[in-house]
Amino acid sequence: MNRFLVGAAWIAIYVALATAPALLLARLSPAPPRDFWTEFSVALGFIGFVQILIQFVLVARFRAITAPYGIDIILYYHRQIGMVATLAVLTHPVILIARRPAAAALLNPLAGTWGTRAGVAALLALLLVVGLSIFRRRLRIGYEAWRLSHALLAFAAVAGSLIHIARTGVHVTAPAVLAAWVALTCVLLTPLGYNRLIRPMLAARRPYRVARVERVADDFWTLHAEPVGHRGLAFEPGQFVWLRLHHPYSIDEHPFSILSSSQRPGHVEFGIKEVGDFTRAVGDIAPGAAVYLEGPHGAFTTDRIPSAGYIFIAGGAGIVPFISMLRTMADRGDRRPVLLIYSGRTEDSLAYRDHLDRLAAQSDRPAFEVVYVLEQPPPGWTGPTGRPDTALLRDLLPREGITRDILICGPDAMIAAVERSLLELGVPASRLHTERFELV
Amino acid sequence: MRHVYTNRVVVLMTVLLLAAAALAAWLRSRPPAPSPAPAPRAGAPTDDRHLEAGRQAWVRACAGCHASGEPGRPVPSRLSRQTEQLAAAEGGRAYLVDLMLYGASAPAEPGARRFRHPPFDTLTDAEIAGVLNLLLAAAEPAPPPFAPADITPARATPRTREDVAASRPRPAD
């Protein structure tokens, strides 16, 4: 079906699911009416709670749901709306205490009832979830530890909220209504179980093994994987997978962009930059080790962005999806013109230069050009230096009769700066496509 | 560019969620059609008994555990009867006030289940009096209503939950 229609349908379902429970409760609750602000505060609590439940579905990587938008967008949205939901939940007690300062005593875990205690605990868990996500890097918390804490704390928040709703609420007292809430919670938490149990089981049926691991730059590795007993991975160039090492049920899983050509599903390569504990140990992975892939994911692919030609702008590890796109184009005999602007700090930090130079030199791809931009150029460097800013992009962008789509992938700050510059230069927004790989 | 659109969706969704919460609150807080409260008896002005404050406090503090589950009847009749009996017993009125302020706790004994009640000293004197009067509203003949002045002195002498439970009047039999 049309991807646009599917996208619109999901949004309609989402909006209905996000608002209906609070409105239904307001219509059906048998409790006597209270003043507007008290009811507003309670409604915010319910709406925040339901929104948090919905997040469990959003981040479960169901391709049917994420495909219209791209999972990086879904995760970006999750990050933002998660904060909004937490603020809504936080506002619930704030309004109540503002109206009746004496109620602040209920924040003391020794006062109050199990219902208020559960509510306070759930709120603290939520604030921790948000705080750890915002400050993860500054607190030097590893990705793995953060992810585990994120899931456990979010789960605790949901459990605490349910107890709070059941014990303190005046709207959810009838057993049938309470049962409906518990059922809603369970349904929306199912994806968590599916992700942890069913999906690894499916991945285990299609195992891969590590063929070799090679160092390609300062802190950059290529991992070669081969399917064991099946035909391999069908993907579009630019997509990525979640990868588990050794064990299909490991909670330690990591998103990696595919480096290889989508025309060669039987040999999948990943470009991996050292950023955390897992990626720093990539060099130690022995050939033959089992690998399990979950995916592909992502909407950042030339197959979904039809254009007469492309301009790729890469920063750091953002080069990986572009290599996959370029190799796929080469394999397909696709001769559309491509200009790649690849920026990095030093010459040694530019991974896959040999690949790129070879592709550029290939006679059947005269339309591929690559420009390297270095922040700290070595002596004798003749290429452009600095960052890809407005002045540099104005010089580099081809002046031609066709309009090419521009794909940007790199660190968040670089993407934001390049996007701003291109808009300043008059590139229409509809021609810009970005992928942020900094998921957290 | 998709991120810019996403930011707009986040703002839109935030507004939508706030609107939904406001709508839900408006639906809930509209003046009720028929008042679920028992009609005040002739000659007893509602204000004296703080019934309105009591009803609001009931919804906030008590209904979570004590809700009758029947629309139109906030207070379960069994709880009303128990309160009537306690109020009529010797020391019962002081016990009811302490129960509201400090809670109660007694372990299970042969012939008696474990008994626990949370403290509600965050309620105002008028609210506590109102809640007790609400519970006694159906009693015949009408016992003297609780006044905020009946609650105030009890705040000066904090008691433990166990202490309060021990002071509960025994049912006369």
Side-chain angles (χ1 to χ4, degrees):
Chain A
M1 215 199 308
N2 184 322
R3 198 173 282 135
F4 180 80
L5 285 181
V6 176
W10 280 123
I11 290 178
I13 293 173
Y14 166 66
V15 169
L17 197 57
T19 52
L23 291 174
L24 271 179
L25 211 57
R27 291 292 297 157
L28 302 179
S29 168
R34 294 174 290 186
D35 63 291
F36 175 84
W37 286 107
T38 304
E39 292 292 352
F40 183 65
S41 124
V42 172
L44 278 181
F46 277 118
I47 278 180
F49 174 67
V50 171
Q51 190 56 233
I52 285 157
L53 283 181
I54 294 175
Q55 301 310 306
F56 283 85
V57 181
L58 271 193
V59 300
R61 304 186 213 141
F62 285 121
R63 260 183 284 166
I65 297 180
T66 60
Y69 322 99
I71 198 166
D72 62 317
I73 282 295
I74 295 283
L75 293 178
Y76 180 80
Y77 180 76
H78 161 67
R79 193 183 157 91
Q80 315 246 46
I81 207 72
M83 294 183 204
V84 171
T86 303
L87 271 180
V89 171
L90 178 65
T91 313
H92 164 56
V94 167
I95 291 182
L96 290 182
I97 291 171
R99 289 186 55 73
R100 287 174 9 90
L106 295 177
L107 297 178
N108 176 358
L110 296 176
T113 63
W114 284 110
T116 60
R117 273 174 223 152
V120 172
L123 181 57
L124 287 179
L126 265 188
L127 291 174
L128 259 176
V129 165
V130 170
L132 288 179
S133 301
I134 296 176
F135 299 112
R136 175 177 86 81
R137 276 163 220 240
R138 235 166 294 169
L139 295 170
R140 295 173 188 283
I141 298 172
Y143 174 80
E144 296 80 11
W146 168 81
R147 249 195 93 182
L148 188 63
S149 76
H150 200 72
L152 292 180
L153 285 169
F155 191 77
V158 167
S161 303
L162 261 190
I163 296 175
H164 175 69
I165 289 170
R167 296 301 302 266
T168 23
V170 297
H171 297 314
V172 182
T173 47
V177 181
L178 184 58
W181 274 97
V182 174
L184 179 72
T185 306
C186 291
V187 167
L188 293 176
L189 289 186
T190 330
L192 194 69
Y194 177 80
N195 259 358
R196 291 279 150 251
L197 302 172
I198 312 287
R199 204 167 251 166
M201 209 168 75
L202 297 176
R205 289 206 202 142
R206 295 172 65 82
Y208 295 75
R209 63 173 198 88
V210 174
R212 67 200 155 91
V213 180
E214 61 178 320
R215 191 187 197 105
V216 290
D218 256 358
D219 50 0
F220 224 104
W221 300 84
T222 300
L223 188 148
H224 299 254
E226 282 163 356
V228 180
H230 59 99
R231 270 202 245 140
L233 187 72
F235 64 95
E236 296 167 18
Q239 289 193 303
F240 62 97
V241 300
W242 259 272
L243 182 148
R244 287 181 166 109
L245 195 61
H246 302 311
H247 203 278
Y249 291 93
S250 165
I251 56 163
D252 203 8
E253 53 172 354
H254 299 263
F256 291 123
S257 281
I258 303 169
L259 182 78
S260 49
S261 161
S262 69
Q263 301 301 103
R264 304 179 189 201
H267 181 97
V268 191
E269 295 171 31
F270 300 96
I272 300 174
K273 189 181 164 69
E274 291 181 11
V275 286
D277 295 343
F278 181 86
T279 49
R280 264 191 284 278
V282 161
D284 303 331
I285 299 174
V291 184
Y292 301 90
L293 308 181
E294 197 261 290
H297 290 286
F300 187 70
T301 151
T302 39
D303 282 8
R304 297 195 195 178
I305 306 168
S307 182
Y310 300 100
I311 295 164
F312 296 160
I313 304 178
I319 190 65
V320 177
F322 293 130
I323 306 263
S324 175
M325 294 175 196
L326 288 166
R327 287 169 138 190
T328 305
M329 289 178 84
D331 280 348
R332 290 175 180 169
D334 184 339
R335 286 155 184 265
R336 286 178 290 172
V338 175
L339 166 67
L340 168 67
I341 300 168
Y342 182 10
S343 72
R345 203 168 300 265
T346 63
E347 202 173 12
D348 291 336
S349 72
L350 295 179
Y352 306 112
R353 263 187 82 179
D354 49 340
H355 273 89
L356 294 167
D357 290 338
R358 214 179 312 137
L359 280 168
Q362 265 172 22
S363 57
D364 64 333
R365 292 207 39 76
F368 174 56
E369 263 184 280
V370 54
V371 178
Y372 303 104
V373 183
L374 289 185
E375 256 178 72
Q376 297 161 11
W381 177 258
T382 55
T385 58
R387 293 180 182 207
D389 53 14
T390 313
L392 188 61
L393 288 170
R394 184 184 291 120
D395 288 346
L396 292 178
L397 291 188
R399 289 163 186 78
E400 57 194 357
I402 61 166
T403 317
R404 309 193 202 181
D405 278 55
I406 304 181
L407 280 66
I408 313 162
C409 185
D412 283 354
M414 173 244 170
I415 290 182
V418 168
E419 245 178 2
R420 244 191 331 271
S421 298
L422 290 172
L423 291 174
E424 254 174 61
L425 291 172
V427 177
S430 60
R431 291 282 175 187
L432 298 182
H433 312 273
T434 60
E435 168 111 318
R436 302 190 177 200
F437 54 77
E438 292 180 9
L439 297 179
V440 265
Chain B
M1 236 31 236
R2 294 180 301 149
H3 297 87
V4 179
Y5 299 135
T6 312
N7 288 340
R8 286 182 200 154
V9 173
V10 170
V11 172
L12 251 169
M13 200 62 203
T14 307
V15 172
L16 193 76
L17 292 180
L18 282 175
L23 177 62
W26 178 75
L27 285 173
R28 290 280 317 144
S29 62
R30 272 183 310 173
S35 169
R41 278 162 306 171
T46 315
D47 278 324
D48 278 3
R49 296 194 290 155
H50 302 278
L51 284 183
E52 193 41 47
R55 251 190 300 275
Q56 291 198 11
W58 171 270
V59 169
R60 222 167 40 233
C62 317
C65 299
H66 288 302
S68 68
E70 303 162 47
R73 174 201 281 278
V75 178
S77 44
R78 184 161 170 270
L79 191 68
S80 287
R81 276 199 308 279
Q82 282 177 336
T83 312
E84 257 177 75
Q85 287 166 7
L86 283 167
E90 194 184 337
R93 290 174 65 90
Y95 165 74
L96 285 170
V97 172
D98 285 342
L99 178 69
M100 289 294 294
L101 282 174
Y102 304 119
S105 175
E109 282 173 26
R113 287 191 304 168
R114 190 178 82 133
F115 174 56
R116 300 195 64 173
H117 194 274
F120 290 99
D121 54 344
T122 54
L123 297 180
T124 65
D125 291 349
E127 284 171 330
I128 291 179
V131 165
L132 292 172
N133 291 334
L134 188 68
L135 285 163
L136 296 172
E140 288 289 348
F146 283 87
D150 297 333
I151 318 296
T152 321
R155 287 194 193 265
T157 51
R159 305 179 61 185
T160 65
R161 292 179 179 207
E162 290 72 19
D163 207 12
V164 174
S167 71
R168 182 185 175 95
R170 298 279 159 181
D173 51 356

